[in-house]
Amino acid sequence: MKDKALLEEKRIKRQNLINKIKRIFIGMNFNDGLIFKIFIWILLISFSYVYLYPLLFMASNSIKSVSDLIDPGVKWIPTKIEVDNYVKAWKVIGMPDVVFESTWYVLKLAIFSTITSALVGYGFATFNIPFKRTLMALMLVGFILPPQVLMVSIVGIYRKLGIMGTEYSMLVPAIFGQGINQSVFILIFYQFFKTFPKVLHESAEIDGATPLQIFYKITLPSAGPSMIIVFLFAFVWYWNETFVTALYTRSTPTIPLRIQQFKASYEAMFPPGTPGSELNEAIKLAGHLIGILPLLILYFVMQKHFTESIDRTGIAGE
Amino acid sequence: MRNDQVKITPIIINALLIPLIVYLAIKSYLAIDYEAGITYFQLIFKYLSRFILVLVYLVIFILINVLKKKQSSVLNLLYFIGLVIIFILAWLRLNNKQYLAFFELAAPPILFYINLKEVGDWWYDSKLMHFVGRIKSKFKKREMKKATREALLGFSFISPWLIGLVVLMLYPIVYSFYLTFTESYYHAATGITSTPVGFKNYIDIVRNQTIMPMLSSYLIKMVVAVPLIVVFSLIIAMLINQPIKGKGIWRTIFFLPVIISSGPILSELTAQGATGLPSIAESGVLEFINNNLGEWIANPLESLLNSLLLVLWYAGVPILIFLAGLQKTDSSIYEAASIDGAGPWERFWKITLPSIKPLISIVIVFVVVNMSLQPEEGSVIIQTRTIMMLDKTVAGTGMLSGYGAAATLSWIYFFLMIVVMGVFIGLISIKRKEPKR
């Protein structure tokens, strides 16, 4: 009898242990167990490797020397770190000055585009405007429409206005709500201002505030997060835009445009034929990395605003 | 009322300052630097006039400082800061550091605001204001209907956009559609000259041996890439949505390409061959495709596989859209479903997918627009610009040239974009027939 009870106790103990291990590995619901977590982690890490592969490739190749570039045995880790690539690329882009130039140029565009988008978004969200739906549909058309459709006649308009070939040809559309992806910005503000309680407007109106005062004293202060998001995206998108900018401004105000002409400006600075001055891929990649550096810094500083933008703006709510 | 006496100094100062500041502001906002072809006389005049302006600016602010010594020290400090800014910018302007003109832009509004605040207290108490108020109230008696007033207010708020819509969008749309039926060239002297040719441009494009393959490869690329991106971003979003640590890190990683991808970077990466997975190149997939499929589909497929990673880079925004949608779905639905015996597989198809279906359409629109408008090497977009810039002299040699052909090509491209979007959205919104009971 005693033996049987002891055996039974042992069996239960063993069963408990197995259950415990099972719970750790598989979990209550399968998706909270260790196996599942490891599985997810492996998947995520491998996906992000695939995702970031071009970047890693750039980073690794940009510090390679010429012999490493040719050597098929050297894949990721170069035998010697060639700082000279960066020094040359830094000079070719015209680095310290071009950052300020680029930032100043993009800053103006981003600020104007944010202001206009806020105004228009507020107008659409707060007031009952006739033909509101038609107008908003036209705004969406503006988002889908490729710039080439408009390009031909816009060039003509700018020539008449005398702003073709200056940076005002980018600024004017931003002020008048037709800048790059500005429909998205207007929609972001629209979504936000729509949720704003109208009671506050009414009470302010009774207190004698003018509509413009209501806008910038009551509504706008609460729209801080949306303002930051729109400003950041406008900044990034204007910075990265090369096609329209090159066409309308006919100059190279931004770093990406400088990089587009990297080869030409490199050869102007280091004429081909002089020893040790051939343009190789490593130098080009170093130039590109230097070019994206300002945006990378911006991104890592303001990372939360970028990645949480979509929750905040309510694109996913509709 | 705080003081009944009307001080005369603020009025004088404002009468001097406001026009000056407005003038300076307008000048700095609108001044176009005609750097090319400027004569020495103009150059000297430009710098001299700026210098004199800044000098006047300085003198006036010193005067204000002297006149207002009795007032609060904070305001004096602000004026002092304003002075310093003006001084710095004058110096920088003379050294021709254009990018620091930001201070010049910012300084007048700031100073203007400070000045207004300062004078504001007096202004609101003054008898003048009461007088103005009385006039205003006379006008106010005739009130508008509420609806009319609201519509007017709304239109005034969206007026910048409306102007932009008419001038920079509706007119160009109509005009470029008109251009598609013409042969148009630009001359510096005469502007755009166009001769109507009917449907010639459309026929030329259909006949053209370089444009048609471009368009067809664009279509095939879209047909393969859009579902790929949607599925990929949905998978990533669901992985991140699992209860694991470091969600922020994963979001950061997968959103990174949105920040850095610009035309030059993408084309450089493509040129370096860093955009396809090495394992694809090493395996025989490409050879298999080339040997077994027709050229018309093999070439686009091959280029797609070679730029697979860049295609996945378009998933940055879709991942976040899906993630936001997934986080919004109620977790109690999942619990209820698992109590009823639904496994992860069924839960995905029966709950997750239907709840984020509207988001898939948004993502499709976003991805199609984003991919179509990316100026990659050898894309239709770049081709359009090339055609637009081509001169009449090349016309007749079988090449497309001029504004008319460019407009036609871009309209066809736009039409294809709409078709792609429509087909995909139509496909996902097909409703399965309810089984009869």
Side-chain angles (χ1 to χ4, degrees):
Chain A
M1 274 311 267
K2 218 181 176 184
D3 274 8
K4 221 174 184 182
L6 231 133
L7 228 78
E8 184 68 8
E9 208 176 285
K10 245 185 182 172
R11 203 183 67 82
I12 289 171
K13 254 189 186 169
R14 203 192 301 144
Q15 194 62 44
N16 277 348
L17 195 71
I18 289 170
N19 276 348
K20 228 182 192 174
I21 292 169
K22 239 187 184 172
R23 180 140 333 148
I24 288 172
F25 278 102
I26 298 176
M28 295 284 281
N29 222 346
F30 185 71
N31 66 0
D32 48 358
L34 200 60
I35 293 177
F36 185 72
K37 264 181 196 167
I38 289 171
F39 176 67
I40 294 275
W41 274 89
I42 288 171
L43 271 184
L44 274 177
I45 288 171
S46 48
F47 271 132
S48 39
Y49 166 72
V50 167
Y51 213 60
L52 297 182
Y53 173 82
L55 265 189
L56 298 174
F57 175 89
M58 273 171 84
S60 138
N61 274 21
S62 68
I63 50 172
K64 278 183 187 169
S65 58
V66 183
S67 56
D68 280 356
L69 276 175
I70 303 164
D71 190 356
V74 181
K75 173 82 177 139
W76 284 113
I77 301 160
T79 50
K80 184 181 121 210
I81 292 175
E82 188 89 3
V83 188
D84 199 37
N85 290 341
Y86 278 91
V87 175
K88 273 182 184 164
W90 182 273
K91 269 188 209 155
V92 169
I93 304 177
M95 189 51 183
D97 282 353
V98 79
V99 167
F100 291 113
E101 238 169 78
S102 201
T103 311
W104 165 226
Y105 162 79
V106 176
L107 203 65
K108 278 185 285 187
L109 290 171
I111 287 172
F112 278 117
S113 138
T114 313
I115 293 171
T116 308
S117 309
L119 270 172
V120 176
Y122 179 78
F124 271 122
T126 322
F127 304 105
N128 276 324
I129 305 171
F131 309 116
K132 192 174 185 175
R133 292 188 140 252
T134 323
L135 288 174
M136 305 247 332
L138 279 175
M139 191 151 63
L140 285 181
V141 170
F143 173 61
I144 304 170
L145 210 63
Q148 300 86 328
V149 172
L150 310 177
M151 199 162 75
V152 176
S153 30
I154 282 185
V155 166
I157 293 173
Y158 287 168
R159 281 204 179 106
K160 268 181 198 148
L161 289 175
I163 56 172
M164 186 71 195
T166 67
E167 64 181 45
Y168 293 92
S169 54
M170 295 300 286
L171 218 73
V172 165
I175 292 171
F176 290 108
Q178 302 292 330
I180 293 159
N181 286 351
Q182 207 156 351
S183 308
V184 179
F185 301 149
I186 293 173
L187 279 182
I188 288 173
F189 277 115
Y190 174 74
Q191 296 292 355
F192 176 78
F193 288 134
K194 226 172 55 178
T195 59
F196 195 82
K198 274 208 165 175
V199 189
L200 287 176
H201 290 276
E202 278 157 20
S203 63
E205 210 175 343
I206 289 165
D207 286 347
T210 60
L212 210 61
Q213 272 176 329
I214 296 175
F215 173 61
Y216 77 88
K217 282 199 172 156
I218 296 169
T219 327
L220 211 54
S222 66
S226 309
M227 296 273 281
I228 292 173
I229 288 162
V230 167
F231 175 78
L232 287 177
F233 273 102
F235 193 90
V236 167
W237 278 335
Y238 272 111
W239 183 287
N240 282 337
E241 171 59 53
T242 51
F243 180 76
V244 176
T245 312
L247 180 71
Y248 290 157
T249 65
R250 299 262 176 77
S251 59
T252 52
T254 61
I255 292 183
L257 280 168
R258 292 281 175 100
I259 286 171
Q260 219 165 30
Q261 303 174 341
F262 192 84
K263 199 176 167 217
S265 34
Y266 183 89
E267 277 164 3
M269 198 168 264
F270 304 97
T274 36
S277 72
E278 281 81 29
L279 176 60
N280 57 37
E281 277 85 48
I283 299 175
K284 260 196 211 166
L285 288 176
H288 280 91
L289 269 182
I290 291 173
I292 60 174
L293 202 65
L295 282 187
L296 276 186
I297 293 169
L298 180 77
Y299 180 52
F300 284 115
V301 173
M302 309 295 267
Q303 176 257 112
K304 271 235 159 79
H305 291 290
F306 279 109
T307 51
E308 283 170 13
S309 56
I310 295 196
D311 314 13
R312 287 238 180 96
T313 53
I315 290 171
E318 265 61 44
Chain B
M1 267 193 231
R2 216 177 45 190
N3 48 357
D4 286 300
Q5 283 176 324
V6 176
K7 283 187 208 160
I8 201 73
T9 43
I11 298 178
I12 294 172
I13 290 168
N14 276 300
L16 280 172
L17 197 63
I18 293 171
L20 186 75
I21 288 173
V22 168
Y23 172 70
L24 264 185
I26 290 173
K27 197 176 156 57
S28 49
Y29 281 118
L30 296 183
I32 302 170
D33 289 334
Y34 295 106
E35 288 300 344
I38 198 166
T39 60
Y40 278 110
F41 175 72
Q42 281 170 325
L43 198 73
I44 291 166
F45 178 73
K46 204 166 132 191
Y47 285 125
L48 207 67
S49 65
R50 266 192 191 145
F51 190 58
I52 289 169
L53 269 177
V54 170
L55 268 188
V56 174
Y57 219 162
L58 267 175
V59 169
I60 287 174
F61 272 95
I62 290 167
L63 272 178
I64 294 169
N65 255 3
V66 173
L67 287 172
K68 274 195 323 201
K69 262 199 176 147
K70 283 173 195 168
Q71 277 160 3
S72 70
S73 53
V74 180
L75 275 173
N76 276 334
L77 184 73
L78 285 176
Y79 271 107
F80 181 69
I81 294 169
L83 272 177
V84 172
I85 291 175
I86 291 169
F87 200 74
I88 291 172
L89 75 89
W91 182 70
L92 288 172
R93 255 302 186 193
L94 292 176
N95 283 322
N96 207 15
K97 299 238 164 158
Q98 287 287 331
Y99 53 84
L100 281 158
F102 171 69
F103 293 110
E104 192 179 33
L105 268 171
I110 292 169
L111 291 170
F112 186 54
Y113 183 69
I114 294 168
N115 199 43
L116 265 191
K117 268 235 142 129
E118 145 85 1
V119 186
D121 291 343
W122 165 80
W123 179 254
Y124 282 118
D125 289 346
S126 72
K127 282 175 182 167
L128 195 69
M129 202 59 204
H130 284 276
F131 182 63
V132 171
R134 223 180 293 154
I135 294 172
K136 253 191 181 172
S137 64
K138 267 186 187 171
F139 278 99
K140 254 193 180 168
K141 271 173 192 169
R142 266 185 281 146
E143 272 190 7
M144 275 182 275
K145 267 187 195 169
K146 209 186 167 220
T148 329
R149 187 171 171 273
E150 206 166 291
L152 270 180
L153 273 176
F155 274 125
S156 60
F157 266 101
I158 64 168
S159 57
W161 178 78
L162 274 181
I163 294 169
L165 180 80
V166 173
V167 178
L168 297 177
M169 198 181 128
L170 291 183
Y171 165 69
I173 286 179
V174 174
Y175 185 64
S176 83
F177 193 66
Y178 158 73
L179 281 184
T180 61
F181 302 107
T182 65
E183 210 166 59
S184 309
Y185 295 97
Y186 175 78
H187 298 289
T190 53
I192 296 175
T193 50
S194 39
T195 42
V197 288
F199 286 95
K200 183 173 172 286
N201 284 324
Y202 291 92
I203 296 166
D204 278 355
I205 283 177
V206 174
R207 277 186 185 159
N208 197 291
Q209 289 303 309
T210 50
I211 304 290
M212 283 318 274
M214 257 181 191
L215 291 177
S216 73
S217 73
Y218 162 77
L219 278 184
I220 290 168
K221 189 185 169 191
M222 283 292 145
V223 166
V224 183
V226 172
L228 192 74
I229 292 170
V230 171
V231 171
F232 177 78
S233 53
L234 190 55
I235 290 172
I236 297 285
M238 282 175 54
L239 285 178
I240 298 176
N241 197 35
Q242 296 301 327
I244 49 160
K245 273 175 194 161
K247 271 181 197 176
I249 300 168
W250 299 118
R251 280 172 165 216
T252 310
I253 288 175
F254 286 107
F255 199 64
L256 189 63
V258 178
I259 307 296
I260 59 168
S261 59
S262 63
I265 298 269
L266 297 188
S267 48
E268 176 66 21
L269 285 172
T270 316
Q272 299 276 326
T275 57
L277 272 180
S279 50
I280 290 180
E282 281 153 20
S283 70
V285 178
L286 289 179
E287 270 173 45
F288 178 80
I289 289 172
N290 268 330
N291 293 340
N292 292 300
L293 293 172
E295 200 178 276
W296 62 279
I297 197 166
N299 286 349
L301 261 183
E302 192 184 339
S303 70
L304 185 81
L305 280 177
N306 278 334
S307 62
L308 188 66
L309 299 188
L310 287 194
V311 169
L312 293 186
W313 270 19
Y314 290 101
V317 173
I319 287 173
L320 289 192
I321 292 179
F322 281 140
L323 196 57
L326 287 175
Q327 280 166 353
K328 266 181 196 142
T329 39
D330 200 351
S331 62
S332 58
I333 301 173
Y334 287 98
E335 276 163 33
S338 54
I339 287 168
D340 283 351
W345 185 250
E346 279 152 322
R347 269 179 284 167
F348 171 75
W349 288 105
K350 295 270 154 77
I351 302 169
T352 313
L353 211 56
S355 70
I356 58 166
K357 216 172 186 179
L359 295 182
I360 297 179
S361 336
I362 293 178
V363 164
I364 285 173
V365 172
F366 191 87
V367 169
V368 171
V369 169
N370 215 355
M371 281 187 79
S372 308
L373 302 191
Q374 189 65 251
E376 282 167 43
E377 271 320 299
S379 64
V380 183
I381 293 195
I382 301 284
Q383 187 67 28
T384 315
R385 186 171 59 184
T386 320
I387 290 173
M388 187 178 143
M389 297 298 175
L390 279 180
D391 204 16
K392 204 173 192 171
T393 46
V394 261
T397 57
M399 268 177 90
L400 293 164
S401 68
Y403 281 31
T408 316
L409 181 56
S410 51
W411 270 102
I412 290 175
Y413 192 59
F414 179 50
F415 178 71
L416 287 182
M417 267 172 75
I418 300 280
V419 167
V420 169
M421 263 182 242
V423 166
F424 277 120
I425 291 175
L427 275 180
I428 63 154
S429 49
I430 289 172
K431 273 179 193 153
R432 204 187 292 167
K433 274 182 190 166
E434 288 288 321
K436 280 177 188 172
R437 281 175 192 159

